[in-house]
Amino acid sequence: MKELIVSDSAGFCFGVSRSVKLAEETLERSKKPVYSLGELIHNDSVVEKLRQEGLNVARSAQEIPPESCVVIRSHGVAETEYEILAAKNCEIVDATCPKVKKIHEIVSEASKNGRKPVIIGMKEHPEVAAICGWCENAEVFADAKELEYWLNLAEENRRTPLTVVFQTTQTQSNLAEIKNILKKECTNCNIFDTICCATSIRQNDAKALSLKCGAMVVIGAKHSANSVHLAEICRECCDRVQFVSSAEELDLSAFDGIQTIGITAGASTPAWIIKEVKQTMNDELKIEETTAPEEKVEGTVPEAEMSFDQMLEESIKTIYNGDTVKCIVAAITPTEISVDLGTKHSGYIPVTEFTDDTDVPIDQLVKIGDTIEAVVVRVNDVEGTVMLSKKRLEAAKSWVILEEAVEKGTILEGIVTEENKGGVVVTIKGIRVFVPASQS
């Protein structure tokens, strides 16, 4: 009997779920004509379903009648579109993904400070087009090859102050290659890892699944950037990959002789399309369905067991300074670790807040997919980011151990790290302890 393994991260991401939910709520309450500025998400079936419920799709703000209700697509739109809608006295429901909104802020600030925005992504993609609409004189490159060509066109390009962002659906391998080039070639460059954590997790899951399956099915729209990247990643690891938008496009004969088949899906693929594909394969092939193994985080409910309301509540829950949280590593750079908190916030741990061992590369101390416990240091609700520290949490735990040692008279060992006229400083479990000369 064939085995079918479905990736746990397949399907709607938070940003897409939020956009669809906002559109549906707007259609229910609004007495005005409701428009979406561009297709709400990159899935024809969902767009058509919403159209039947009354959501009109407009290509630009100029097409929308005055006094209308307008839902901004998940990919975002240019700043000028907001200005046109405001002039028409339209009600705006902003369903732009918060991750994309963050990029708008970065490039806008860069332009104001005289820096040149550089966007790594698909030039014709609506997300990239929208980002360009929040800054001036932006350069867009699809990959490292295009960027390197531009840098070599003129010496001044290397000396220009650059602010580099990435389309949220870009791959981590592309990011790493771009960073290496920029660090070697440019003298004044700020690089922002703006790849969505959910995208990184989805891509890592797809890679791991495709390595152990004889065939893969990737479900998503052909014009969906994250789905296209998923298919590319799977093809790097698996010889037989089908990229389909629905069950009707499946070639079931291609699974002859294949024992294990994997399924993943892009962030714009609704659960009912994934279910339809699974059902078609179950009906036509003798399949035993399983799910990809998932590392459970203590105190959480598996996403598959949550209702949409529960998932939404989990994603928008409030995080406060000093909270201890468990998070999953989504990406690693030489300076910081990006983590998925399961909320609307983007979490990160600076390497300096992760370890004192600067002699060991950070990617040798932690891996993508690892679960980390850390303490919240700073919450920035405006930018939607949370800074965390693993070191400070460990220090807090160490204080408890030290206090118990004082009470019980326990002997502890440490390393002398400093000396001064008054005595020495000993590090014990990450805490600096002063030992007076008279006691040493």
Side-chain angles (χ1 to χ4, degrees):
M1 180 177 287
K2 295 181 185 294
E3 181 184 15
L4 180 65
I5 305 176
V6 183
S7 173
D8 287 310
S9 59
F12 274 3
C13 65
F14 166 70
V16 170
S17 294
R18 175 178 173 272
S19 297
V20 174
K21 186 175 177 63
L22 281 172
E24 291 174 337
E25 290 175 347
T26 303
L27 288 168
E28 287 181 6
R29 67 168 176 77
S30 180
K31 294 180 172 55
K32 304 175 184 178
V34 181
Y35 290 80
S36 70
L37 194 43
E39 292 184 350
L40 190 72
I41 65 172
H42 272 159
N43 187 281
D44 293 341
S45 299
V46 174
V47 170
E48 176 58 24
K49 177 178 178 292
L50 291 171
R51 188 192 65 78
Q52 292 176 4
E53 294 174 6
L55 185 65
N56 304 289
V57 178
R59 290 172 297 179
S60 67
Q62 285 90 342
E63 296 180 11
I64 298 175
E67 308 288 337
S68 299
C69 183
V70 183
V71 181
I72 304 297
R73 65 185 304 161
S74 60
H75 303 104
V77 298
E79 186 175 17
T80 53
E81 301 285 79
Y82 286 88
E83 295 169 356
I84 293 170
L85 293 174
K88 289 186 174 185
N89 199 29
C90 290
E91 177 189 347
I92 298 176
V93 178
D94 200 340
T96 305
C97 173
K99 308 284 187 181
V100 177
K101 273 286 190 186
K102 171 62 178 174
I103 303 177
H104 294 174
E105 294 170 5
I106 293 172
V107 296
S108 177
E109 185 69 19
S111 278
K112 291 175 183 176
N113 293 331
R115 303 182 67 85
K116 176 179 278 295
V118 172
I119 305 160
I120 308 300
M122 300 167 66
K123 187 172 293 186
E124 304 303 322
H125 194 280
E127 179 186 321
V128 174
I131 295 169
C132 290
W134 287 85
C135 56
E136 297 178 0
N137 303 317
E139 297 285 349
V140 180
F141 306 110
D143 51 34
K145 185 178 180 180
E146 287 188 10
L147 171 63
E148 198 163 25
Y149 176 79
W150 178 77
L151 290 172
N152 291 329
L153 282 178
E155 182 63 30
E156 65 180 273
N157 290 343
R158 291 187 175 87
R159 296 196 300 267
T160 300
L162 304 178
T163 292
V164 184
V165 297
F166 294 78
Q167 186 177 348
T168 55
T169 52
Q170 278 289 300
T171 62
Q172 287 294 330
S173 60
N174 203 15
L175 181 146
E177 194 174 358
I178 295 285
K179 278 189 171 182
N180 287 335
I181 291 172
L182 291 170
K183 289 178 179 178
K184 291 177 183 176
E185 302 290 342
C186 297
T187 58
N188 187 352
C189 183
N190 293 336
I191 306 171
F192 291 85
D193 179 358
T194 53
I195 298 175
C196 177
C197 291
T199 295
S200 298
I201 291 171
R202 190 187 312 272
Q203 291 173 354
N204 291 327
D205 288 351
K207 181 176 181 179
L209 188 56
S210 58
L211 282 170
K212 65 180 182 181
C213 291
M216 285 291 298
V217 175
V218 179
I219 311 169
K222 299 299 188 291
H223 57 309
S224 165
N226 76 88
S227 299
V228 170
H229 288 314
L230 280 179
E232 291 171 350
I233 290 168
C234 289
R235 288 186 179 118
E236 291 174 0
C237 308
C238 182
D239 293 332
R240 299 195 191 185
V241 178
Q242 291 192 46
F243 184 15
V244 302
S245 60
S246 66
E248 296 175 356
E249 297 178 11
L250 281 170
D251 177 9
L252 297 173
S253 64
F255 300 128
D256 291 345
I258 301 296
Q259 191 63 30
T260 306
I261 305 167
I263 290 181
T264 187
S268 300
T269 306
W272 61 268
I273 290 184
I274 300 173
K275 184 177 180 180
E276 184 182 70
V277 170
K278 289 192 300 182
Q279 191 61 52
T280 298
M281 295 176 73
N282 284 329
D283 290 345
E284 299 296 330
L285 307 169
K286 291 183 178 179
I287 283 180
E288 177 184 351
E289 185 182 329
T290 60
T291 56
E294 176 187 13
E295 184 175 2
K296 303 297 182 184
V297 179
E298 185 180 345
T300 64
V301 181
E303 191 167 301
E305 297 174 14
M306 286 183 170
S307 67
F308 180 83
D309 288 340
Q310 286 175 312
M311 285 189 285
L312 186 63
E313 182 180 350
E314 186 72 12
S315 67
I316 62 177
K317 68 182 181 182
T318 304
I319 292 179
Y320 298 99
N321 292 346
D323 284 355
T324 298
V325 298
K326 287 189 176 180
C327 49
I328 298 174
V329 177
I332 302 169
T333 73
T335 58
E336 68 181 38
I337 301 161
S338 297
V339 296
D340 182 7
L341 291 162
T343 72
K344 64 180 179 179
H345 297 87
S346 297
Y348 69 97
I349 306 174
V351 169
T352 54
E353 291 294 333
F354 186 85
T355 180
D356 285 320
D357 192 351
T358 56
D359 295 330
V360 181
I362 188 63
D363 56 5
Q364 292 184 20
L365 299 176
V366 63
K367 302 295 182 185
I368 292 175
D370 287 354
T371 298
I372 294 176
E373 189 175 34
V375 65
V376 176
V377 177
R378 182 172 62 253
V379 178
N380 189 327
D381 285 320
V382 175
E383 296 183 356
T385 60
V386 175
M387 175 181 163
L388 304 114
S389 174
K390 179 173 176 287
K391 281 172 49 179
R392 298 189 197 190
L393 178 62
E394 291 175 345
K397 292 180 178 179
S398 296
W399 268 115
V400 175
I401 295 174
L402 289 176
E403 288 173 348
E404 290 179 352
V406 171
E407 292 178 4
K408 297 178 181 179
T410 305
I411 297 175
L412 297 177
E413 292 186 359
I415 298 174
V416 177
T417 55
E418 300 174 37
E419 61 175 310
N420 53 48
K421 293 180 180 179
V424 296
V425 175
V426 180
T427 299
I428 301 175
K429 296 185 180 298
I431 296 178
R432 297 171 73 249
V433 178
F434 177 66
V435 182
S438 60
Q439 298 295 320
S440 60

